[in-house]
Amino acid sequence: LYCNQKKVASDVTSFHLTDKYVAYTTLTQLHFAKLLDGCDSMPIDSRRMERGARIVTIVPKSSKCVFQLPRGNLEVIHPRLLSIHLIGDFLDARKYWLAFDLLRKQRINLNLIVDHDPKTFLEDLDEFVCQIANPQWLNLFITDLQNEDVTRTMYAGNYERDQLSVYPEAYDIAGKVHCVCDKLIEVFGKQHKDSELPKITCYVKKGLIENALAF
């Protein structure tokens, strides 16, 4: 597989272009490489697949990748790289319910909701809570919060350095959990009467057990 006369990979059996990546298969693996000027990038994500499978298509604006197996039947998978890219699009469009639903289904760390764009998320917390609404989902989100920026760690392959989240003033990763919980408690107090359980979870997450027991 070549790009602008530069070799990207050898032993390629199929490939497909998306808006940001080139996906290609070798005998037993699926690889993704980011499309960059000069085509000097190496694969940023790989996963094993059935021997001899080939890419048929990647559904636009979706995380679905369709393969044809050697037996002739078709199989659909959701590569994590594509799922995270789609989730990022949902978050940019403030479609929090769609993002959360996909995060749950693909078992992707829920901290991505915050870390993708902390400034916008914190400014838009009211809309986030309104869209999610389900107390169990809100509890799950609060429970998963960590003092870590997953766009710099486990999902760094999806985020280039010049695209890293812009932190708002007085925001510190080491205090991320407390910051988000404090903001959520404010939102619950102002607008949501049926949010006692998520509010209690916020206090527990902050280590304020007495406040939680006061409910």
Side-chain angles (χ1 to χ4, degrees):
L1 181 64
Y2 287 83
C3 179
N4 291 341
Q5 299 182 346
K6 288 188 176 182
K7 185 178 180 180
V8 178
S10 57
D11 301 324
V12 174
T13 57
S14 65
F15 72 94
H16 188 88
L17 292 174
T18 70
D19 57 341
K20 285 192 175 182
Y21 307 103
V22 55
Y24 62 92
T25 57
T26 53
L27 190 61
T28 60
Q29 287 198 312
L30 168 66
H31 304 276
F32 286 91
K34 190 167 288 186
L35 295 174
L36 299 172
D37 293 337
C39 295
D40 55 353
S41 62
M42 297 293 290
I44 58 173
D45 190 55
S46 300
R47 61 173 290 172
R48 291 189 62 81
M49 61 178 193
E50 184 170 332
R51 186 182 183 89
R54 298 189 177 194
I55 300 172
V56 175
T57 189
I58 295 176
V59 180
K61 300 186 183 302
S62 170
S63 60
K64 294 178 181 177
C65 185
V66 183
F67 288 94
Q68 184 170 29
L69 305 183
R71 300 182 297 278
N73 54 311
L74 299 179
E75 181 178 286
V76 176
I77 65 170
H78 295 263
R80 179 150 294 188
L81 191 79
L82 296 181
S83 295
I84 294 172
H85 176 57
L86 182 60
I87 289 163
D89 289 343
F90 286 150
L91 292 173
D92 287 338
R94 292 175 169 80
K95 297 179 179 179
Y96 295 113
W97 192 94
L98 291 174
F100 201 108
D101 188 49
L102 187 55
L103 283 159
R104 285 191 323 115
K105 288 177 179 176
Q106 300 299 324
R107 298 183 180 181
I108 296 171
N109 194 303
L110 295 178
N111 282 270
L112 191 63
I113 296 174
V114 183
D115 298 335
H116 177 76
D117 186 349
K119 185 175 185 295
T120 300
F121 174 76
L122 292 174
E123 291 173 351
D124 217 28
L125 258 182
D126 290 83
E127 181 62 24
F128 170 75
V129 173
C130 284
Q131 286 190 31
I132 301 305
N134 186 334
Q136 298 302 324
W137 282 24
L138 290 170
N139 266 345
L140 182 62
F141 168 71
I142 296 163
T143 303
D144 270 10
L145 286 174
Q146 297 172 293
N147 290 326
E148 176 186 350
D149 184 346
V150 295
T151 66
R152 297 175 185 261
T153 54
M154 62 181 72
Y155 304 132
N158 278 79
Y159 291 85
E160 297 176 11
R161 288 189 175 182
D162 59 350
Q163 294 177 336
L164 285 174
S165 51
V166 178
Y167 300 145
E169 290 184 16
Y171 180 87
D172 180 19
I173 288 297
K176 169 185 160 185
V177 172
H178 281 227
C179 176
V180 175
C181 285
D182 285 340
K183 297 285 187 182
L184 282 171
I185 290 170
E186 289 180 18
V187 173
F188 294 147
K190 288 188 300 183
Q191 297 186 3
H192 303 276
K193 297 179 181 179
D194 299 324
S195 57
E196 284 84 1
L197 190 56
K199 196 171 183 179
I200 291 170
T201 306
C202 282
Y203 283 124
V204 172
K205 191 72 176 179
K206 291 182 63 180
L208 301 176
I209 306 301
E210 290 185 3
N211 296 64
L213 292 174
F215 281 84

